[in-house]
């Protein structure tokens, strides 16, 4: 019996959903803990989100290097589409524009949902990304939106 190429491998489940835990914890902490914890949680979420989105950009580009079927032009373009909001979010976070940083990360992770799902059909990413990325990145987007909501409520 051959393995189902579209099944989500266990390591992708662990390493796919595991990195979303700090974002969820930050959102929960921001809403439930007293100051200064919401401030710390939000700042750390921006750093973590920027790191994860940058990593996802590298995964996308790295897969393009190793897969002859992948479109190099699409892979480079999409890597930049992920990398730029991640980098800008880190810069915005460093200068105190946290709402902008969280919005950029939310947009970046939402783009991963769409572009990696599409990329699986075009052989630009592993086939299981079509099933992994939507719920995985939806967790990130939801956590980031919760942080945005917390900031807006407590302006």
């Amino acid at each position: 019996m051959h393995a189902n190429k579209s099944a989500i491998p266990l390591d992708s489940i662990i390493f796919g959903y595991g990195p979303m835990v700090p974002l969820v914890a930050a959102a929960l902490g921001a809403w439930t803990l007293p100051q200064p914890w919401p401030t710390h949680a939000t700042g750390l979420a921006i750093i973590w989100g920027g790191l994860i989105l940058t990593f996802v950009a590298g995964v996308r580009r790295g897969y393009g290097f190793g897969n002859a079927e992948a479109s190099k032009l699409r892979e480079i373009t999409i890597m930049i589409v992920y990398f730029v909001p991640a980098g800008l979010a880190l810069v915005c976070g460093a200068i105190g524009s946290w709402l902008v940083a969280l919005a950029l990360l939310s947009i970046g992770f939402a783009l991963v949902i769409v572009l990696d799902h599409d990329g699986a059909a075009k052989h630009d990413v592993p086939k299981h990304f079509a099933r992994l990325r939507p719920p995985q990145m939806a967790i990130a987007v939801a956590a980031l939106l919760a942080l945005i909501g917390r900031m807006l409520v407590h302006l």
Side-chain angles (χ1 to χ4, degrees):
M1 177 185 289
H2 69 56
N4 180 352
K5 295 274 186 186
S6 66
I8 301 174
L10 181 59
D11 62 334
S12 288
I13 292 170
I14 293 167
F15 294 112
Y17 291 104
M20 300 302 114
V21 171
L23 294 174
V24 172
L28 290 172
W31 277 97
T32 61
L33 298 175
Q35 279 294 356
W37 295 108
T39 301
H40 296 320
T42 302
L44 290 170
I46 291 167
I47 294 168
W48 186 254
L51 292 171
I52 294 299
L53 190 54
T54 301
F55 178 81
V56 170
V59 167
R60 185 71 191 240
R61 182 61 190 115
Y63 189 80
F65 277 133
N67 182 3
E69 292 182 65
S71 164
K72 302 302 184 247
L73 179 59
R74 262 194 319 266
E75 292 310 288
I76 291 169
T77 302
I78 292 171
M79 180 268 305
I80 291 168
V81 166
Y82 296 169
F83 186 81
V84 169
L88 289 174
L90 290 170
V91 170
C92 288
I95 64 172
S97 296
W98 287 11
L99 279 173
V100 174
L102 292 168
L104 285 165
L105 290 171
S106 298
I107 291 165
F109 283 113
L111 286 169
V112 175
I113 293 170
V114 175
L115 297 174
D116 275 13
H117 186 273
D118 181 62
K122 293 178 178 163
H123 306 287
D124 290 338
V125 298
K127 286 192 182 300
H128 71 272
F129 277 23
R131 290 184 43 232
L132 171 67
R133 290 298 198 220
Q136 176 196 30
M137 296 303 155
I139 293 168
V141 172
L144 293 164
L145 291 176
L147 288 164
I148 289 171
R150 168 60 169 82
M151 286 189 73
L152 292 175
V153 166
H154 291 90
L155 279 177

